Amino acid sequence: AQSVSQHNHHVILSEAASLELGCNYSYGGTVNLFWYVQYPGQHLQLLLKYFSGDPLVKGIKGFEAEFIKSKFSFNLRKPSVQWSDTAEYFCAVKFWKTGNQFYFGTGTSLTVIP
Amino acid sequence: GAVVSQHPSWVICKSGTSVKIECRSLDFQATTMFWYRQFPKQSLMLMATSNEGSKATYEQGVEKDKFLINHASLTLSTLTVTSAHPEDSSFYICSARDWESGANVLTFGAGSRLTVL
């Protein structure tokens, strides 16, 4: 069965530190990859997405992610985090062979200390 | 951009009663909407796929008689939690995809927090 895993459940960083959140998915052929963010008290918002082409994608607020097909990974990065980046981050994968369904990772809670 | 509205955002009900949650796509048509359940500190669990004009497709382990889904129009899907019990207390989130924009991304509603006493 298709699955998405996020290795870091809770990350605490100081402001200006670099961030990398891991996301791996099970093999399942062609995929579309997403990172969503949920700020405290708000709904899920799309950070960035990968469909095809350049495996390094840039999203909003200085975030980027790299798709490494051989590792089935789509890690999220940001060179310098801010206090306002404190949120829950979810990796999501759409496996084409399962149709419309999106599979979500368990989420990573990021706390940035001023 | 695409906007999905959910109502109510917060509801408290007594055990045994039914609660209806609405999910509307405000500026696009959604032939398909998705209902998720989110437990504290956990990921989103897909409950069902709501299809306009036809029956919803439920995920394994989700009771279709308990979680009734109706997708009566291209902009509205409803989730009714029937005979709610305290274990049904959770955060329910709907999402939809704006196919016409070609974006192929999910837009989420703000969620509905259900507390069953």
Side-chain angles (χ1 to χ4, degrees), chain A residues 32 36 43 101-102 105-106, chain B residues 43 46 59 97 104-106 109:
Chain A
N32 295 149
Y36 283 87
H43 61 279
Q101 228 184 80
F102 281 60
T106 51
Chain B
S43 186
L46 180 65
E59 294 302 300
R97 184 186 295 122
N104 197 26
V105 298
L106 289 179

Side-chain angles (χ1 to χ4, degrees), chain B residues 6-58:
Chain B
Q6 245 182 280
H7 178 80
S9 57
W10 184 51
V11 57
I12 301 175
C13 70
K14 292 182 179 180
S15 186
T17 61
S18 295
V19 173
K20 180 186 285 188
I21 301 170
E22 293 187 348
C23 179
R24 294 181 184 273
S25 56
L26 295 187
D27 49 2
F28 66 100
Q29 295 183 332
T31 55
T32 304
M33 291 185 176
F34 305 91
W35 286 96
Y36 293 86
R37 185 171 177 178
Q38 186 179 26
F39 293 98
K41 304 296 183 184
Q42 294 188 34
S43 186
L44 287 78
M45 182 193 78
L46 180 65
M47 299 174 64
T49 302
S50 173
N51 305 300
E52 188 269 334
S54 64
K55 292 182 180 180
T57 305
Y58 289 82

Side-chain angles (χ1 to χ4, degrees), chain A residues 28-112:
Chain A
T30 303
V31 294
N32 295 149
L33 302 158
F34 309 82
W35 275 96
Y36 283 87
V37 60
Q38 187 174 31
Y39 296 104
Q42 296 187 31
H43 61 279
L44 282 151
Q45 303 170 44
L46 181 68
L47 260 185
L48 47 78
K49 62 185 186 291
Y50 171 81
F51 289 163
S52 63
D54 188 345
L56 183 63
V57 292
K58 296 191 183 298
I60 60 172
K61 305 186 180 185
F63 286 91
E64 65 178 32
E66 183 175 14
F67 170 46
I68 302 180
K69 190 174 181 179
S70 60
K71 295 184 177 179
F72 306 110
S73 70
F74 190 55
N75 291 356
L76 180 71
R77 300 194 291 248
K78 185 170 183 178
S80 176
V81 295
Q82 301 173 312
W83 174 78
S84 57
D85 293 325
T86 295
E88 194 87 17
Y89 293 82
F90 293 93
C91 177
V93 180
K94 180 179 180 298
F95 298 92
W96 276 92
K97 74 176 190 180
T98 58
N100 282 327
Q101 228 184 80
F102 281 60
Y103 291 80
F104 283 83
T106 51
T108 298
S109 176
L110 171 66
T111 301
V112 179

